[in-house]
Every structure is written in C-alpha cells, then in structure tokens.
Amino acid sequence: MEPIIEAREITKRYRKASVVDGASIRVLPGQIIGLIGPNGAGKTTLLRLLSGLVVPDSGEISYYGQKKGKGFESAKSKIAVTADGPSLYPLLSAKDNIKAYALGRGFPISDDEVEDALRCVGLEPGKKVARNFSMGMKQRLSIAMALSGGCEAILLDEPFNGLDPMGLKQIVTLIRRINAERGIAFLISSHNLPELEGLCESFVFLEKGKVKKALSKDELKKKERRIVSFLAKDAEGCRRLLSESSLSFERKEGFFRVDCDGDPLGLVDSLRRGGVEISDLSIEREGLLSVYSEGRAYDE
C-alpha cells in the first residue's frame, strides 16, 4: 500500500538547534496514528513539516510517491493540519469559516459541499460566530474545514485539549466515524494517552526531535503487564511461593499485587496447586500510559 505521506530523515533547525532531527514516518491510507512525546519534543513542528506548512532543511517528504512538480503539489493538497489548535476566524460563522478556508487554499467550494462538511461533524450552518463556540465545537469546525477540501489525511495537534468529558467523547466518536465511513487517515499528537490508546492502531514516539520508536497496537500489548490482585488466607505461604517464582509483587492493605507478564490464570492455578487459598481476585491490564511513562515502550 502506497503511503499518503512518507518522510525520510527530515530535519528542521531553528537558530542552529534541531527541533526535528532525522525523523522518518509513514502515514498509510485509513490509518489512525498517535504521535507521543513530551513538551518540546518537536511534535507540532513535525506536523507542520508533514503537511507542507514548513519546509525541511534536509531529508525528503513525498505524498503518494510524488516528490516534486505538479503531482507533488496536487497530492500535498490532500493533507490538512490543525497545528497549535483550531485556526478560525472568530467573527465568522461556521459556514463562512469553511468558505474562507477554501478561498485561502485556492479550491472552489459549493454551498452543498459546505453543508455536507458541517453535517458530517454535527454543526448547523447558522449565524453564530466562531468566538462564541465551545472548544468542542471549534475542534469539530476545524475538522469540517479539512473535510471540505477533500483531504485524505488530517493531522491533529492536541485535539483533546480544553474539552469537557462530553466534548471529548464527541471528538473521539467523530474521528472514528470519519475514519470508518470516509477512509480518512489521522495522525494525532496528544498527551491524553488513554484516549489515544483506544483510538489509534499504531503509535510513534518522539524524543528531542527524533523518532525513537514506532509500535503497532499488537506490539504495544506485548509490552503491557497485567497486575493480579487477591487476598491470600496463608499470607506467608503465598509470599514464599511468589518469591520462589521470582515474580515482582507487593502487599498493600492485605492484598497481594503481582506483576504478571504471562498468563494471569496460570499464576492463580500455580498458587492454588501450592496450597494457597485465594479470594477477591481481580486482574488489571496496564495501558499505554504505564508502558510509556516507565520507558518500556522503547524496550526491544
């Protein structure tokens, strides 16, 4: 499958400092990718580079395999980006914001196309101006603007910031629906790792401008640990068996909490065969947040 966007070893410097440093990334049709990294890692600059808003100092970016000429410009026009939050005209309505966006991008747009984009994101083509929108409405309008241009990939920079729980749910649902119904790819930069984990099929980790690791969802799951929590009638016997098995565990408020890389039920069977009677069993799965914050995302 040919990538919509393919960047090879791209670098961008400001005042001799490399904000993006030799980064390589591919965005395939229909993918939803999470871009993860600390503040100052270069995520916003990378999105600007991938969208064509900023030109790299070195390296190469292609769109649908096009590297230069009219084919390159035509393919690049299929990429939309919201960097540094939604860029809206505060005194214009949703409908007029889309028309202004289309004018700035140099493509014609009909009223039917505008209303289709607004309908897709659940906004009305009324007279209410953008400065009076909630943050969730602003985020949905920015996506509608991207859709109006017939884009095939949308790059979103911190789209969950400032959203209340209902607004967050609406944006996540909207991204899923657009991806499923229209096949549009998304590259999403966010610090909201639980939402990214549920939404994305792969993850790119950026540190100091470098792509440090890329993981599919299946690869991420292999790095997750499971925490088995239970009460043991014979606490000392349980402690002895766990120590002999070299498993990492702690006891807190009477409960044993065991890090289990393998089959949690196998651990339970092993304890029972060893004569340990357990109760109040629960199994917790770690998520992206734990894997990333503990540095295990980068383990081979």
Side-chain angles (χ1 to χ4, degrees):
M1 185 182 297
E2 186 172 56
I4 300 175
I5 307 170
E6 183 165 18
R8 297 190 184 96
E9 299 291 324
I10 57 173
T11 293
K12 186 63 184 179
R13 301 180 185 88
Y14 292 108
R15 296 181 180 178
K16 298 183 179 180
S18 294
V19 180
V20 173
D21 188 4
S24 297
I25 186 171
R26 304 167 85 230
V27 179
L28 298 176
Q31 275 190 313
I32 305 180
I33 305 171
L35 180 61
I36 299 166
N39 289 333
K43 300 186 299 297
T44 296
T45 301
L46 179 58
L47 294 181
R48 288 177 170 272
L49 287 164
L50 295 177
S51 68
L53 291 178
V54 175
V55 177
D57 294 318
S58 62
E60 181 179 76
I61 300 177
S62 62
Y63 304 99
Y64 286 108
Q66 301 293 319
K67 299 177 183 178
K68 58 183 179 180
K70 290 183 179 180
F72 173 85
E73 293 299 328
S74 175
K76 186 173 70 172
S77 71
K78 300 296 184 182
I79 313 302
V81 62
T82 63
D84 300 318
S87 298
L88 308 176
Y89 294 97
L91 298 180
L92 295 184
S93 67
K95 185 174 181 178
D96 288 340
N97 259 285
I98 292 178
K99 288 184 174 181
Y101 173 81
L103 182 63
R105 298 269 298 209
F107 59 81
I109 189 166
S110 67
D111 285 346
D112 285 345
E113 290 172 316
V114 172
E115 291 184 10
D116 175 66
L118 289 173
R119 187 164 46 249
C120 180
V121 301
L123 291 177
E124 296 292 332
K127 294 182 179 180
K128 186 176 181 179
V129 297
R131 73 177 179 184
N132 296 327
F133 285 6
S134 68
M135 181 55 73
M137 291 173 69
K138 290 176 180 178
Q139 291 288 9
R140 283 185 281 151
L141 176 54
S142 70
I143 293 174
M145 291 160 68
L147 293 173
S148 68
C151 72
E152 295 178 13
I154 301 178
L155 316 183
L156 298 176
D157 190 15
E158 296 292 350
F160 311 134
N161 275 4
L163 298 180
D164 60 27
M166 184 59 69
L168 177 59
K169 182 179 179 180
Q170 288 173 344
I171 290 297
V172 169
T173 301
L174 177 62
I175 291 170
R176 282 200 182 104
R177 181 166 57 79
I178 291 172
N179 174 259
E181 293 178 359
R182 303 196 178 200
I184 292 175
F186 286 86
L187 175 60
I188 305 170
S189 166
S190 178
H191 293 302
N192 192 326
L193 301 192
E195 291 298 338
L196 280 187
E197 181 177 12
L199 185 59
C200 300
E201 65 188 66
S202 60
F203 308 90
V204 173
F205 299 88
L206 198 67
E207 299 275 353
K208 297 180 179 178
K210 297 179 181 289
V211 173
K212 194 166 181 181
K213 193 77 173 181
L215 293 173
S216 68
K217 200 157 195 172
D218 287 341
E219 290 170 331
L220 173 69
K221 286 180 179 178
K222 291 178 182 178
K223 295 177 180 292
E224 294 173 349
R225 295 179 304 191
R226 289 173 174 79
I227 308 298
V228 182
S229 176
F230 55 87
L231 292 172
K233 190 171 183 180
D234 179 7
E236 287 307 311
C238 180
R239 189 187 301 275
R240 184 178 63 256
L241 282 174
L242 291 173
S243 298
E244 290 172 355
S245 64
S246 300
L247 290 171
S248 175
F249 69 93
E250 65 175 353
R251 194 178 181 207
K252 190 174 182 180
E253 297 178 352
F255 280 84
F256 283 92
R257 290 177 55 83
V258 185
D259 290 348
C260 183
D261 293 328
D263 178 14
L265 297 181
L267 167 64
V268 172
D269 288 341
S270 176
L271 290 172
R272 284 174 173 161
R273 286 197 302 271
V276 176
E277 184 179 337
I278 66 174
S279 61
D280 294 288
L281 173 71
S282 66
I283 301 172
E284 307 166 25
R285 182 180 65 83
E286 282 188 331
L288 173 60
L289 178 59
S290 294
V291 172
Y292 173 62
S293 62
E294 294 176 12
R296 283 182 280 119
Y298 306 138
D299 293 344
E300 294 299 330

